[in-house]
Amino acid sequence: MLTSAMPGAMRATLGQLGHGLLLTLAMTGLAFTGALVLGVLLAVCRISPVPPLRALGTAYVTVFRNVPLLVLLVLSVFGLPDVGLLFSLFLTVTATMALYWAAFICEVLRAGIRTVPLGQAEAARALGLTSGQCIRQVILPQALRSMVQPLASVFIALALSTSLAAAVGVAELTGQTEFATLRYDNPLTGFAASTVVYVLITLSIGLLAGRVERRVAVRR
């Protein structure tokens, strides 16, 4: 009887995992995009000649890099409704992850910018470029070559950290795996499948980063 029931249970388990995978991919893509945009703004603040902006960027990075992501997720999911801010669970978790990982992307960008010789910026200013033009047209294009792999590492860490969303009730890949395990009492199949999926996600990001890095190197 158990043998005849297994195929149906496995199909149902895989269906749940497929739904969780879509949620994981959506969360990863949106959170990384948000973190990248905010990380660029923070990096600009960190290298700005304006002291208040530098202080703001430093304070943000210091706070978010020294708080566990799970703590931030719990605070956001259970704390925001208490102060009257109601958002969907998916939006709350995705935005929190974007805010958290923006601090790490900021530091990657800042480290990459430091690889550009100071004379490049001085030459750009001597040509009459503003600070914004200097960053956009001279510094960032050159710094990009040293940022690809570190950004890919952050991307991979972000993708894997989406599993923490299961702890606050989001039915992403890990959450669906837990549900399937409880329902069908078949943890081996569910967690083995989710492990393979996470490995495929991280390998895909690594391959994509390699292609981007080679493309940037050709343009050098």
Side-chain angles (χ1 to χ4, degrees):
M1 180 177 180
L2 179 61
T3 304
S4 62
M6 279 298 292
M10 290 179 65
R11 284 197 298 273
T13 300
L14 293 177
Q16 282 187 272
L17 296 182
H19 178 75
L21 173 60
L22 293 178
L23 208 57
T24 292
L25 293 177
M27 189 182 301
T28 300
L30 292 173
F32 185 75
T33 301
L36 186 61
V37 172
L38 182 57
V40 170
L41 296 177
L42 288 170
V44 171
C45 290
R46 292 274 273 160
I47 64 173
S48 171
V50 182
L53 289 180
R54 287 203 307 273
L56 177 64
T58 301
Y60 185 98
V61 170
T62 301
V63 170
F64 278 85
R65 287 184 68 188
N66 290 284
V67 178
L69 177 56
L70 183 57
V71 172
L72 289 177
L73 291 174
V74 172
L75 285 174
S76 301
V77 171
F78 299 104
L80 291 179
D82 288 342
V83 296
L85 298 175
L86 298 175
F87 305 100
S88 69
L89 183 58
F90 176 81
L91 179 60
T92 300
V93 171
T94 303
T96 302
M97 294 187 67
L99 292 172
Y100 177 80
W101 287 108
F104 293 86
I105 288 180
C106 167
E107 290 305 277
V108 169
L109 297 177
R110 193 165 69 95
I113 290 171
R114 281 181 172 177
T115 63
V116 179
L118 183 60
Q120 295 284 332
E122 293 174 346
R125 292 193 185 96
L127 292 173
L129 271 64
T130 64
S131 296
Q133 290 173 326
C134 179
I135 292 173
R136 289 195 308 272
Q137 301 176 15
V138 177
I139 296 177
L140 284 180
Q142 297 185 69
L144 178 63
R145 288 189 288 273
S146 62
M147 297 177 189
V148 176
Q149 288 301 332
L151 283 177
S153 297
V154 174
F155 198 0
I156 289 173
L158 187 154
L160 295 178
S161 71
T162 57
S163 61
L164 293 175
V168 291
V170 179
E172 43 70 64
L173 182 57
T174 300
Q176 290 288 6
T177 303
E178 292 176 349
F179 294 153
T181 297
L182 293 174
R183 183 173 181 182
Y184 301 108
D185 192 22
N186 187 18
L188 182 60
T189 300
F191 279 101
S194 62
T195 298
V196 171
V197 171
Y198 278 120
V199 170
L200 290 176
I201 292 174
T202 56
L203 287 178
S204 300
I205 295 172
L207 290 174
L208 177 63
R211 293 190 63 177
V212 173
E213 190 173 38
R214 286 192 294 273
R215 188 168 184 176
V216 173
V218 169
R219 290 178 175 178
R220 187 172 185 175

